[in-house]
Amino acid sequence: MDIASLQTLAANNDWLAIMPELLLGCLALALLVLEIILPAKLHSRLPAVALLGVLALLVFQLLGFTAGFAEQESFNGLLVHSREGQVMRVFFLLAALLVGVISTISLAKQKLPHTEFYHILLVVTAAMMLLVQSNHFVMLFVALETVTIGLYILVSYFRSRPLTLEAGLKYLIMGALSSSILLFGIVLLYGVAGNPELPGHTASAMNLDSLHAFLAANRHNFLASIGIVLVLSGVAFKIAAFPFQIWVPDVYQGAPTPVTAFLAVASKGAGFLVLLVLARTFSPYAWLLAPVLTLMAGATLLFGSLGALTQHNVKRLMGLSGVSHAGFLLMGVVAAGTQSMAIGAIYFYLFAYLLASFAVFGVMALVAGPDDADQEISHYAGLAKDSPFLALVLAIGLGSLAGIPPLAGFMGKLFIFIAAFKAGLYGLLAVAIVGVVISSYYYFSWIRAAFFSSGTSSDGEATARPARTPVSFTAGLVLSLLAFGTVLLGLYQGVLGQWLNTR
Amino acid sequence: MGSFLFDFFAIFTVICAVGTVVNKNAVNAAMCFLLCLVGVAGLFVQLDAYLLAFLLLLVYAGAVVALFLFIIMLLDVQGKSAVSFRRLSTAAAVIAAGLLAVGLCSFAIHGHLDAPNPNYASGVGAALKPYAYQLFTLYLLPVQIMGFLLLIAMLGVIVLSKKIDPAEGAK
């Protein structure tokens, strides 16, 4: 390897293209430095610094700050700045901002260090933003590991609780297992694609474009198909698709509420984006992908809906209902194999899911007592009387998750169903409709507890529940914006809808 | 000569791997694992992957197994409590072994690994210098991200293991 070609390689490292991620990393480092140099009484301001920084980055991103790099490769093909990547940058920044706001509520109820939480949150967000733009297995794996290791820490953050520790340990073991399966698949694909005996072999099989070209030249290689199944299994762990969803209820229950929200929304969103990128790379193996993903989607839908029916803990319920949402999204991924509008539908669904989930998780953080894992549906009894505002936000969020018209969740499901219908997935559609019917049952039993239950048992004794927390101005503003966004996005799809149609 | 060395290291590795699994004393099992890694390193040397062989020795044999031994001695685990197999775990083991056997058979029938082409150049990771060049040009961004990964891992260890001081937390 001569110096000139190394210089070209080095010159292609275009740091400006990943400005939002760099700034996020700098902000995270600045938080740690500020904690050292500022006097102790100013430390309570640090979360606000982090949140304002993320808000500023979000505004810059929305103003088209990095638009000059759209549809270009950088870092010698490690990253591709697709238009989808730009949308997902906004998605993750928004998710980080909302998690930050909910964290201020939840962390206030615990005696734990705050700055490190926001530092890790920002680093994980930046890694997610890089993950969805990566076009190379090395980049993809490194970003994915950064996300996962950050989440191990965040999940076990309230470490004085036994349930949280259990959740952290389970997530660590399942995460390590899924990473090793993913890595095994990657290595198999790399090995097969580098075999000089096969047509179209390539020395740079880690690059997804080269791998796609190799797979197109060998459409029925046995080892490559094993590699593909292993890689898909590794990603299925991250999106909690059946049969890799077993960790969800315990981890969602034990993790702090904001982290549960982060896992449910941002981590799942990142997983689906990776899945879309991989499905595009593996498209020559559609004979294998389509049946595997279809079966997975159907089983995920049914498992999530049926599992959530029996739950009394709202965090477990959100986890299992999240599994069924993963099923709807997987149906979109299957449809995306033939219908390009399904990709737009997946993005719309993700945004609708983000707004509704954070509305619900925000209310959950406010209703929760000092024991974060102990959040029963019965605690919501009489919420409509105590705090009509929270009850309304909860109803809008849950209604959207259940898919009640005219809320955003309904439109999201509708778009996915239309895409699946166009792709001719009638069997899967039937399963999905059953899933919707079952899911409305458990969402409505939660709404019923909030609106129609008085909070007293039959013999007139009040059921034990944590004291209501007063809603701060910021939390109230954020929650009303989320509820408003959910209603608005259901009635008028605006820019997002346009973007959907132009696909 | 090459064939003899390959046979020697391959058999040595497998014997040590079996020793790791069947040894009831945890310290002896860890030592067998160490020898197993030495055998794999020997195989790598025959593939001209000197860097990989030395990394394996330094990182795994040097650091990871030392850590294992340290933990084993810290916990003072003795080989006395042999776990008796229950029916369920025996069934699970039989199924797993069956799957492995099916996988190996289908691999032997369907998958085929031809002899490597002697004209094929060795990879960039075979020696230290090209490896380092790649690391600091092509893979600079992943290396930087690894820096952040190590930072949050370190912070995580501190946050999760620091003693909670109630007076400090109450502020």
Side-chain angles (χ1 to χ4, degrees):
Chain A
M1 186 154 283
D2 60 309
I3 297 299
S5 69
L6 287 173
Q7 274 174 340
T8 1
L9 282 179
N12 203 288
N13 288 345
D14 213 335
W15 295 99
L16 276 180
I18 55 161
M19 205 51 160
E21 289 83 357
L22 283 183
L23 287 177
L24 214 50
C26 292
L27 182 63
L29 293 178
L31 281 183
L32 292 186
V33 175
L34 282 178
E35 200 194 19
I36 299 170
I37 59 173
L38 285 183
K41 64 173 190 282
L42 284 177
H43 285 181
S44 58
R45 303 262 178 226
L46 285 177
V49 172
L51 291 183
L52 286 177
V54 175
L55 187 64
L57 269 177
L58 185 62
V59 171
F60 276 125
Q61 183 64 35
L62 285 174
L63 289 177
F65 183 44
T66 49
F69 291 96
E71 302 294 341
Q72 280 182 25
E73 283 191 357
S74 66
F75 291 90
N76 305 296
L78 289 190
L79 295 176
V80 171
H81 306 283
S82 58
R83 283 201 304 160
E84 287 89 341
Q86 305 308 309
V87 176
M88 287 315 279
R89 273 177 168 168
V90 174
F91 181 86
F92 292 129
L93 285 172
L94 199 57
L97 190 64
L98 293 169
V99 169
V101 172
I102 300 180
S103 308
T104 53
I105 304 169
S106 285
L107 283 172
K109 297 176 182 173
Q110 311 288 334
K111 294 168 183 172
L112 285 168
H114 292 188
T115 317
E116 287 82 355
F117 186 92
Y118 291 95
H119 172 86
I120 297 171
L121 177 68
L122 295 184
V123 172
V124 169
T125 309
M128 279 177 177
M129 287 157 72
L130 286 175
L131 176 65
V132 296
Q133 299 177 77
S134 54
N135 191 41
H136 194 279
F137 270 134
V138 171
M139 187 64 220
L140 190 133
F141 188 73
V142 167
L144 189 68
E145 276 308 281
T146 312
V147 171
T148 319
I149 288 180
L151 284 174
Y152 296 153
I153 303 161
L154 292 181
V155 163
S156 36
Y157 206 81
F158 292 176
R159 64 195 159 98
S160 48
R161 317 262 165 211
L163 274 177
T164 302
L165 286 182
E166 185 192 327
L169 188 66
K170 276 191 177 151
Y171 192 58
L172 173 70
I173 291 172
M174 297 311 274
L177 184 66
S178 77
S179 293
S180 62
I181 292 177
L182 178 72
L183 207 51
F184 196 35
I186 293 174
V187 168
L188 264 182
L189 284 173
Y190 180 68
V192 177
N195 185 352
E197 307 286 320
L198 292 174
H201 67 89
T202 165
S204 56
M206 289 290 186
N207 190 301
L208 296 183
D209 293 333
S210 318
L211 185 64
H212 179 78
F214 167 79
L215 291 176
N218 303 268
R219 283 175 186 270
H220 287 278
N221 188 299
F222 179 70
L223 278 180
S225 52
I226 294 183
I228 287 172
V229 170
L230 286 175
V231 169
L232 286 183
S233 310
V235 178
F237 261 108
K238 309 286 176 201
I239 58 173
F242 188 87
F244 307 106
Q245 85 302 352
I246 210 74
W247 54 275
V248 166
D250 289 336
V251 172
Y252 275 46
Q253 184 189 2
T257 307
V259 179
T260 311
F262 200 46
L263 270 177
V265 178
S267 174
K268 194 170 284 168
F272 270 100
L273 257 285
V274 170
L275 193 62
L276 274 179
V277 170
L278 290 177
R280 202 161 55 221
T281 309
F282 299 154
S283 57
Y285 281 64
W287 57 271
L288 175 74
L289 278 185
V292 168
L293 288 179
T294 308
L295 274 180
M296 210 185 244
T300 307
L301 268 166
L302 283 181
F303 182 92
S305 308
L306 293 175
L309 268 183
T310 54
Q311 300 301 327
H312 299 292
N313 184 297
V314 291
K315 282 168 102 179
R316 292 178 84 90
L317 195 154
M318 282 306 279
L320 285 163
S321 79
V323 172
S324 85
H325 284 289
F328 287 114
L329 286 161
L330 265 175
M331 190 164 85
V333 175
V334 180
T338 49
Q339 296 290 326
S340 63
M341 71 88 67
I343 301 177
I346 291 173
Y347 287 103
F348 187 84
Y349 196 101
L350 281 175
F351 271 95
Y353 182 63
L354 174 128
L355 292 175
S357 297
F358 274 107
V360 174
F361 278 113
V363 175
M364 278 164 67
L366 282 165
V367 172
D371 187 357
D372 198 71
D374 177 36
Q375 301 184 30
E376 301 294 319
I377 286 188
S378 58
H379 293 175
Y380 286 78
L383 186 68
K385 217 177 288 168
D386 301 341
S387 168
F389 169 69
L390 285 186
L392 182 70
V393 172
L394 183 74
I396 291 176
L398 288 176
S400 178
L401 287 178
I404 305 300
L407 299 169
F410 169 73
M411 295 310 288
K413 283 202 171 72
L414 188 66
F415 286 140
I416 296 253
F417 283 10
I418 292 174
F421 183 76
K422 279 189 181 168
L425 306 167
Y426 305 118
L428 204 52
L429 260 177
V431 175
I433 288 169
V434 172
V436 172
V437 173
I438 300 175
S439 71
S440 50
Y441 174 79
Y442 53 77
Y443 285 128
F444 274 96
S445 66
W446 192 352
I447 294 181
R448 193 186 59 197
F451 278 87
F452 303 116
S453 173
S454 59
T456 49
S457 54
S458 52
D459 49 353
E461 216 170 296
T463 39
R465 60 170 173 76
R468 302 277 187 234
T469 323
V471 185
S472 69
F473 173 72
T474 329
L477 181 70
V478 168
L479 284 180
S480 22
L481 280 179
L482 284 171
F484 179 68
T486 304
V487 177
L488 185 74
L489 211 54
L491 295 172
Y492 171 68
Q493 286 75 43
V495 191
L496 256 175
Q498 269 175 12
W499 185 77
L500 204 74
N501 285 328
T502 54
R503 290 201 58 83
Chain B
M1 178 65 183
S3 163
F4 166 74
L5 275 179
F6 174 81
D7 290 342
F8 173 74
F9 277 115
I11 295 168
F12 179 75
T13 308
V14 172
I15 290 175
C16 293
V18 171
T20 313
V21 179
V22 298
N23 231 315
K24 284 193 176 151
N25 187 317
V27 178
N28 289 351
M31 294 318 274
C32 280
F33 182 51
L34 183 73
L35 289 178
C36 178
L37 289 175
V38 172
V40 176
L43 291 175
F44 278 147
V45 167
Q46 289 176 58
L47 290 171
D48 287 344
Y50 303 110
L51 177 70
L52 211 52
F54 279 97
L55 279 183
L56 193 73
L57 283 182
L58 284 177
V59 177
Y60 278 89
V64 176
V65 176
L67 201 66
F68 278 1
L69 286 175
F70 190 66
I71 300 284
I72 290 167
M73 289 174 182
L74 209 65
L75 294 176
D76 196 21
V77 184
Q78 294 301 324
K80 60 193 174 208
S81 59
V83 186
S84 60
F85 289 105
R86 280 175 304 167
R87 195 175 293 167
L88 189 65
S89 52
T90 315
V94 168
I95 292 172
L99 280 178
L100 185 66
V102 170
L104 282 176
C105 286
S106 78
F107 182 75
I109 297 164
H110 294 289
H112 60 103
L113 296 174
D114 298 324
N117 188 339
N119 301 327
Y120 196 53
S122 62
V124 281
L128 188 57
K129 208 169 175 180
Y131 181 73
Y133 277 142
Q134 292 271 316
L135 216 51
F136 284 93
T137 53
L138 181 56
Y139 297 111
L140 186 58
L141 181 61
V143 171
Q144 299 281 348
I145 298 175
M146 287 308 286
F148 270 98
L149 196 162
L150 292 176
L151 177 67
I152 60 169
M154 189 181 72
L155 267 179
V157 169
I158 295 171
V159 168
L160 295 183
S161 61
K162 203 174 118 192
K163 213 172 186 178
I164 301 177
D165 183 4
E168 189 199 1
K171 73 184 176 203

